[in-house]
mmCIF file of all heavy atoms in Angstrom:
data_model
loop_
_atom_site.group_PDB
_atom_site.id
_atom_site.type_symbol
_atom_site.label_atom_id
_atom_site.label_comp_id
_atom_site.label_asym_id
_atom_site.label_seq_id
_atom_site.Cartn_x
_atom_site.Cartn_y
_atom_site.Cartn_z
ATOM 1 N N ASP J 797 92.823 86.890 102.936
ATOM 2 C CA ASP J 797 93.206 88.150 102.317
ATOM 3 C C ASP J 797 93.040 89.343 103.136
ATOM 4 O O ASP J 797 93.870 90.245 103.204
ATOM 5 C CB ASP J 797 92.357 88.344 101.035
ATOM 6 C CG ASP J 797 92.810 87.400 99.848
ATOM 7 O OD1 ASP J 797 93.910 86.891 99.918
ATOM 8 O OD2 ASP J 797 91.956 87.157 98.996
ATOM 9 N N GLU J 798 91.933 89.311 104.034
ATOM 10 C CA GLU J 798 91.770 90.407 104.974
ATOM 11 C C GLU J 798 92.806 90.462 106.043
ATOM 12 O O GLU J 798 93.142 91.517 106.512
ATOM 13 C CB GLU J 798 90.412 90.417 105.585
ATOM 14 C CG GLU J 798 90.004 89.179 106.308
ATOM 15 C CD GLU J 798 89.282 88.131 105.489
ATOM 16 O OE1 GLU J 798 89.220 88.243 104.236
ATOM 17 O OE2 GLU J 798 88.801 87.131 106.128
ATOM 18 N N ASP J 799 93.418 89.296 106.402
ATOM 19 C CA ASP J 799 94.562 89.378 107.292
ATOM 20 C C ASP J 799 95.756 90.000 106.688
ATOM 21 O O ASP J 799 96.430 90.774 107.391
ATOM 22 C CB ASP J 799 94.894 87.880 107.711
ATOM 23 C CG ASP J 799 93.753 87.142 108.423
ATOM 24 O OD1 ASP J 799 92.910 87.709 108.960
ATOM 25 O OD2 ASP J 799 93.881 85.903 108.371
ATOM 26 N N ARG J 800 96.017 89.667 105.474
ATOM 27 C CA ARG J 800 97.193 90.324 104.810
ATOM 28 C C ARG J 800 97.007 91.803 104.699
ATOM 29 O O ARG J 800 97.915 92.578 104.963
ATOM 30 C CB ARG J 800 97.329 89.697 103.408
ATOM 31 C CG ARG J 800 97.794 88.331 103.467
ATOM 32 C CD ARG J 800 97.897 87.745 101.996
ATOM 33 N NE ARG J 800 98.237 86.327 101.987
ATOM 34 C CZ ARG J 800 97.382 85.351 101.943
ATOM 35 N NH1 ARG J 800 96.105 85.576 101.839
ATOM 36 N NH2 ARG J 800 97.771 84.075 101.990
ATOM 37 N N GLU J 801 95.771 92.245 104.300
ATOM 38 C CA GLU J 801 95.571 93.695 104.170
ATOM 39 C C GLU J 801 95.602 94.385 105.484
ATOM 40 O O GLU J 801 96.001 95.518 105.575
ATOM 41 C CB GLU J 801 94.184 93.873 103.515
ATOM 42 C CG GLU J 801 94.149 93.649 102.081
ATOM 43 C CD GLU J 801 95.226 94.366 101.349
ATOM 44 O OE1 GLU J 801 95.372 95.598 101.524
ATOM 45 O OE2 GLU J 801 95.877 93.778 100.470
ATOM 46 N N GLU J 802 95.128 93.732 106.524
ATOM 47 C CA GLU J 802 95.224 94.298 107.882
ATOM 48 C C GLU J 802 96.663 94.528 108.314
ATOM 49 O O GLU J 802 97.073 95.540 108.971
ATOM 50 C CB GLU J 802 94.425 93.438 108.903
ATOM 51 C CG GLU J 802 94.397 94.106 110.299
ATOM 52 C CD GLU J 802 93.543 95.378 110.220
ATOM 53 O OE1 GLU J 802 92.496 95.372 109.683
ATOM 54 O OE2 GLU J 802 94.046 96.401 110.834
ATOM 55 N N PHE J 803 97.467 93.567 107.980
ATOM 56 C CA PHE J 803 98.890 93.652 108.335
ATOM 57 C C PHE J 803 99.547 94.838 107.563
ATOM 58 O O PHE J 803 100.392 95.641 108.075
ATOM 59 C CB PHE J 803 99.592 92.400 108.020
ATOM 60 C CG PHE J 803 101.172 92.447 108.144
ATOM 61 C CD1 PHE J 803 101.719 92.570 109.420
ATOM 62 C CD2 PHE J 803 101.996 92.463 107.108
ATOM 63 C CE1 PHE J 803 103.112 92.687 109.574
ATOM 64 C CE2 PHE J 803 103.373 92.535 107.158
ATOM 65 C CZ PHE J 803 103.898 92.649 108.458
ATOM 66 N N LEU J 804 99.104 94.979 106.341
ATOM 67 C CA LEU J 804 99.762 96.053 105.537
ATOM 68 C C LEU J 804 99.073 97.367 105.655
ATOM 69 O O LEU J 804 99.428 98.372 104.965
ATOM 70 C CB LEU J 804 99.694 95.654 103.955
ATOM 71 C CG LEU J 804 100.498 94.410 103.633
ATOM 72 C CD1 LEU J 804 100.282 93.930 102.244
ATOM 73 C CD2 LEU J 804 101.963 94.613 103.753
ATOM 74 N N ARG J 805 98.145 97.546 106.553
ATOM 75 C CA ARG J 805 97.348 98.747 106.708
ATOM 76 C C ARG J 805 98.237 99.919 107.090
ATOM 77 O O ARG J 805 98.034 101.017 106.699
ATOM 78 C CB ARG J 805 96.279 98.508 107.778
ATOM 79 C CG ARG J 805 95.463 99.884 107.978
ATOM 80 C CD ARG J 805 94.717 99.737 109.288
ATOM 81 N NE ARG J 805 93.425 99.182 108.977
ATOM 82 C CZ ARG J 805 92.503 99.174 109.933
ATOM 83 N NH1 ARG J 805 92.603 99.725 111.106
ATOM 84 N NH2 ARG J 805 91.284 98.598 109.702
ATOM 85 N N PHE J 806 99.225 99.717 107.893
ATOM 86 C CA PHE J 806 100.082 100.813 108.453
ATOM 87 C C PHE J 806 100.990 101.412 107.383
ATOM 88 O O PHE J 806 101.486 102.471 107.528
ATOM 89 C CB PHE J 806 100.832 100.353 109.618
ATOM 90 C CG PHE J 806 102.136 99.499 109.217
ATOM 91 C CD1 PHE J 806 103.356 100.118 109.163
ATOM 92 C CD2 PHE J 806 102.075 98.172 109.100
ATOM 93 C CE1 PHE J 806 104.497 99.443 108.773
ATOM 94 C CE2 PHE J 806 103.185 97.470 108.789
ATOM 95 C CZ PHE J 806 104.382 98.052 108.627
ATOM 96 N N VAL J 807 101.194 100.662 106.343
ATOM 97 C CA VAL J 807 102.284 101.095 105.357
ATOM 98 C C VAL J 807 101.834 102.339 104.538
ATOM 99 O O VAL J 807 102.755 103.195 104.310
ATOM 100 C CB VAL J 807 102.519 99.870 104.417
ATOM 101 C CG1 VAL J 807 103.576 100.280 103.336
ATOM 102 C CG2 VAL J 807 103.032 98.694 105.162
ATOM 103 N N PRO J 808 100.669 102.484 103.998
ATOM 104 C CA PRO J 808 100.401 103.710 103.165
ATOM 105 C C PRO J 808 100.629 104.987 103.952
ATOM 106 O O PRO J 808 100.150 105.210 105.022
ATOM 107 C CB PRO J 808 98.919 103.552 102.802
ATOM 108 C CG PRO J 808 98.596 102.137 102.921
ATOM 109 C CD PRO J 808 99.502 101.618 104.026
ATOM 110 N N GLY J 809 101.455 105.840 103.393
ATOM 111 C CA GLY J 809 101.731 107.153 104.005
ATOM 112 C C GLY J 809 102.610 107.117 105.181
ATOM 113 O O GLY J 809 102.900 108.167 105.816
ATOM 114 N N SER J 810 103.170 105.901 105.535
ATOM 115 C CA SER J 810 103.995 105.891 106.677
ATOM 116 C C SER J 810 105.353 106.658 106.526
ATOM 117 O O SER J 810 105.883 107.096 107.541
ATOM 118 C CB SER J 810 104.335 104.456 107.079
ATOM 119 O OG SER J 810 104.969 103.801 105.950
ATOM 120 N N GLY J 811 105.763 106.867 105.358
ATOM 121 C CA GLY J 811 106.913 107.669 105.080
ATOM 122 C C GLY J 811 106.708 109.132 105.465
ATOM 123 O O GLY J 811 107.652 109.914 105.652
ATOM 124 N N PHE J 812 105.470 109.533 105.463
ATOM 125 C CA PHE J 812 105.166 110.983 105.638
ATOM 126 C C PHE J 812 104.775 111.301 107.163
ATOM 127 O O PHE J 812 104.578 112.410 107.483
ATOM 128 C CB PHE J 812 104.091 111.527 104.754
ATOM 129 C CG PHE J 812 104.525 111.236 103.287
ATOM 130 C CD1 PHE J 812 103.793 110.242 102.572
ATOM 131 C CD2 PHE J 812 105.436 112.065 102.715
ATOM 132 C CE1 PHE J 812 104.176 110.104 101.290
ATOM 133 C CE2 PHE J 812 105.757 111.873 101.337
ATOM 134 C CZ PHE J 812 105.133 110.886 100.680
ATOM 135 N N MET J 813 104.592 110.156 107.910
ATOM 136 C CA MET J 813 104.142 110.360 109.252
ATOM 137 C C MET J 813 105.331 110.532 110.280
ATOM 138 O O MET J 813 106.488 110.094 110.021
ATOM 139 C CB MET J 813 103.398 109.132 109.720
ATOM 140 C CG MET J 813 102.109 108.912 108.977
ATOM 141 S SD MET J 813 101.272 107.507 109.668
ATOM 142 C CE MET J 813 100.330 106.923 108.350
ATOM 143 N N ASP J 814 104.988 111.176 111.377
ATOM 144 C CA ASP J 814 106.088 111.185 112.410
ATOM 145 C C ASP J 814 106.073 109.934 113.180
ATOM 146 O O ASP J 814 105.227 109.097 113.051
ATOM 147 C CB ASP J 814 105.838 112.486 113.394
ATOM 148 C CG ASP J 814 104.569 112.391 114.205
ATOM 149 O OD1 ASP J 814 103.709 111.550 113.823
ATOM 150 O OD2 ASP J 814 104.477 113.075 115.209
ATOM 151 N N GLY J 815 107.010 109.774 114.131
ATOM 152 C CA GLY J 815 107.136 108.506 114.909
ATOM 153 C C GLY J 815 105.921 108.100 115.591
ATOM 154 O O GLY J 815 105.528 106.926 115.603
#
Side-chain angles (χ1 to χ4, degrees):
D797 289 337
E798 57 267 9
D799 299 336
R800 292 178 183 96
E801 286 305 314
E802 188 61 49
F803 174 71
L804 296 172
R805 177 197 274 192
F806 79 94
V807 178
S810 59
F812 302 108
M813 295 182 206
D814 67 339

